[in-house]
Amino acid sequence: MDPHNRYIKTLLNDCRKNNRSAQKALYQFFYSYCLSICMRYADTQEDAVEIMHDGFMKVFTYIGKFDRKRPFKPWIRKIMINSALDHIKKQNKIKLIDSLDQGLELSAEQHDQHPVSYEDLLEMIRKLPPSYGTVFNLRAIEGYKHKEVAEMLGISVGTSKSNYAKAKQKLRAYLSTYFGVVQ
């Protein structure tokens, strides 16, 4: 076992014993990773930090249920995503609509001329209506299938596909403006 995995395993064992210094070390170790996940779902950095803190509270509460034979990173990722979804649901932001639209297609030529920064892309995703942005994040960035997205959000697969398509359509419009392309 490499030293990195051994360190994480030791921290997890100590966190199971409610060792505060181990909890702090685990928090610090995964801070950037978890915040980057939460930022994709939050309107502001403050909201993302709040979501992340809620997620870490769940991590420390349910650490005893974590299967030690499985990797930790996907488990904490799922908790952060679920915390973000809980946050969105609490704010009553999800209003989902049915219908299919065209997808996002950015040509390689346009991308090479004006690369989009991560921050600019994140800002474009934040401009999406919450229902579109949430489905887009879960599907395009997190890699969940439409069936999984539908189950997580309590919607139909068709609604997931519709919101994903509409998100891509809106992102295409944002990117067209960003690249100065007239539609």
Side-chain angles (χ1 to χ4, degrees), residues 35-42 118 122 125 133 137 141-142:
L35 185 61
S36 71
I37 293 167
C38 296
M39 286 292 294
R40 294 193 289 260
Y41 296 92
Y118 175 78
L122 190 59
I125 293 170
N137 278 323
I141 297 175
E142 305 297 346

Side-chain angles (χ1 to χ4, degrees), residues 42-75:
D43 293 330
T44 64
Q45 183 160 352
E46 291 80 24
D47 285 346
V49 170
E50 180 182 333
I51 292 166
M52 183 185 66
H53 287 160
D54 290 345
F56 271 106
M57 290 303 295
K58 291 175 187 172
V59 167
F60 298 134
T61 300
Y62 298 107
I63 196 103
K65 295 184 180 200
F66 170 66
D67 181 358
R68 298 178 202 200
K69 296 175 187 143
R70 302 181 64 90
F72 181 71
K73 202 168 184 180
W75 187 74

Side-chain angles (χ1 to χ4, degrees), residues 5-20:
N5 286 337
R6 193 173 312 126
Y7 176 68
I8 298 299
K9 196 170 214 155
T10 301
L11 284 179
L12 294 174
N13 287 332
D14 290 345
C15 285
R16 285 175 181 262
K17 299 172 189 169
N18 288 323
N19 179 310
R20 298 291 179 221

